Amino acid sequence: MAAVIWAAFHWAPLAAGFKGESSRILFFHVPMAWVSFVAFMTAGVQSARYLFGSRTPQDAQLDRSAAAAVEIGLVFATLATVTGAIWARIMWGSYWNWDPRQSGIVVVLLYYAAYEALRQAIADEEVRARLSAAYGVLGLVVSPFLYFVLPRLGFSLHPEPVINAQGKMEVEARMLTVLLASSSGFTVLFYWMHSLRCRLGAIAARRLEEEN
Amino acid sequence: MGGPVWVTAVNLVIWTGLVLWLLRLDRRIRELEREP
């Protein structure tokens, strides 16, 4: 991580067409957005495994795993939104422009905030797990649409994504190296945080069981 | 080339701090898991 940070600020060249040093935020903004997508997909897959599985008591772990992925995904999606807004202020003159990609991330945040609200609203553990799993599975369709389809439907101020509409990567080699290293680092960080959150959830569940 | 040193320093502090905190949390969770 330290090497990636150093490379992002001192080794990677500045991108053409970006004001000042603003392109360096790309090495954090893109991986954060990527990790939030990975998190929501993880939540969707774990939800599907819960919903279509045998639903034994052990499957409660799948429910906790989906919930943990959404929690961490929301943190990374918020960070991606904030870093994107900072970059937008430098490049476009204002923090918020209702660009399709900005609108898309707002809907993503609202969608998964509603997931959290749903979980908080239901006291019965099994009903909560079943309903939030159904909602999480729907996210497998909603998230790819909001991340990859919606921003391409109309005019967008947002720069070409790393893999452009022609399916090519037109990024300078050193920038791409740092970007891939950063994305990998953030992905590992996500799965580490996710595993810690799941283990904490399992301990809390065990304690609750012992109390009852 | 060469971004501002202070931004690099702030980022290093934030991310190193997070990793150290996660390592500490990992150790604490392991202790809790071992508890009967």
Side-chain angles (χ1 to χ4, degrees):
Chain A
M1 211 72 183
V4 168
I5 292 167
W6 178 83
F9 288 107
H10 300 281
W11 185 65
L14 293 170
F18 286 63
K19 280 187 192 165
E21 305 265 343
S22 68
S23 65
R24 300 197 191 278
I25 209 165
L26 176 103
F27 302 118
F28 300 90
H29 170 71
V30 175
M32 281 167 180
W34 160 250
V35 162
S36 66
F37 177 72
V38 169
F40 297 139
M41 288 296 99
T42 304
V45 170
Q46 298 297 64
S47 297
R49 287 178 65 198
Y50 177 86
L51 206 59
F52 304 114
S54 51
R55 254 181 260 162
T56 54
Q58 286 77 24
D59 282 355
Q61 182 62 29
L62 293 173
D63 173 54
R64 283 196 293 271
S65 169
V70 169
E71 280 173 18
I72 303 166
L74 274 171
V75 172
F76 278 102
T78 307
L79 288 172
T81 309
V82 171
T83 50
I86 293 169
W87 181 83
R89 175 76 178 87
I90 298 164
M91 287 300 291
W92 305 335
S94 112
Y95 288 107
W96 206 259
N97 306 275
W98 291 111
D99 180 79
R101 210 168 272 274
Q102 288 181 321
S103 309
I105 198 75
V106 167
V107 182
V108 168
L109 287 170
L110 289 175
Y111 182 84
Y112 285 100
Y115 174 94
E116 291 298 334
L118 178 73
R119 290 188 73 86
Q120 297 295 319
I122 303 165
D124 186 278
E125 241 173 74
E126 214 188 305
V127 177
R128 180 178 61 212
R130 205 168 55 240
L131 287 181
S132 42
Y135 194 91
V137 168
L138 198 63
L140 286 174
V141 181
V142 173
S143 290
F145 176 79
L146 291 170
Y147 275 87
F148 301 112
V149 182
L150 180 77
R152 289 179 168 87
L153 287 181
F155 171 76
S156 174
L157 288 165
H158 197 277
E160 277 272 286
V162 178
I163 299 172
N164 65 21
Q166 288 78 45
K168 288 179 184 159
M169 283 191 189
E170 285 168 0
V171 181
E172 204 272 340
R174 271 194 294 180
M175 285 181 74
L176 188 62
T177 307
V178 178
L179 198 55
L180 291 176
S182 180
S183 301
S184 311
F186 272 98
T187 308
V188 170
L189 185 68
F190 161 69
Y191 280 113
W192 185 23
M193 289 167 85
H194 180 251
S195 116
L196 292 177
R197 185 69 189 88
C198 289
R199 284 163 63 198
L200 263 178
I203 293 167
R206 194 185 69 195
R207 293 226 165 143
L208 203 68
E209 230 170 71
E210 284 165 4
E211 277 171 24
N212 294 332
Chain B
M1 214 186 297
V5 175
W6 72 269
V7 184
T8 315
V10 168
N11 267 279
L12 277 172
V13 168
I14 291 172
W15 297 107
T16 311
L18 176 69
V19 168
L20 291 175
W21 181 74
L22 288 173
L23 281 170
R24 200 169 140 248
L25 183 65
D26 189 33
R27 209 171 39 237
R28 180 81 187 105
I29 291 173
R30 214 168 296 163
E31 282 167 16
L32 288 170
E33 282 171 337
R34 271 199 294 262
E35 275 177 19

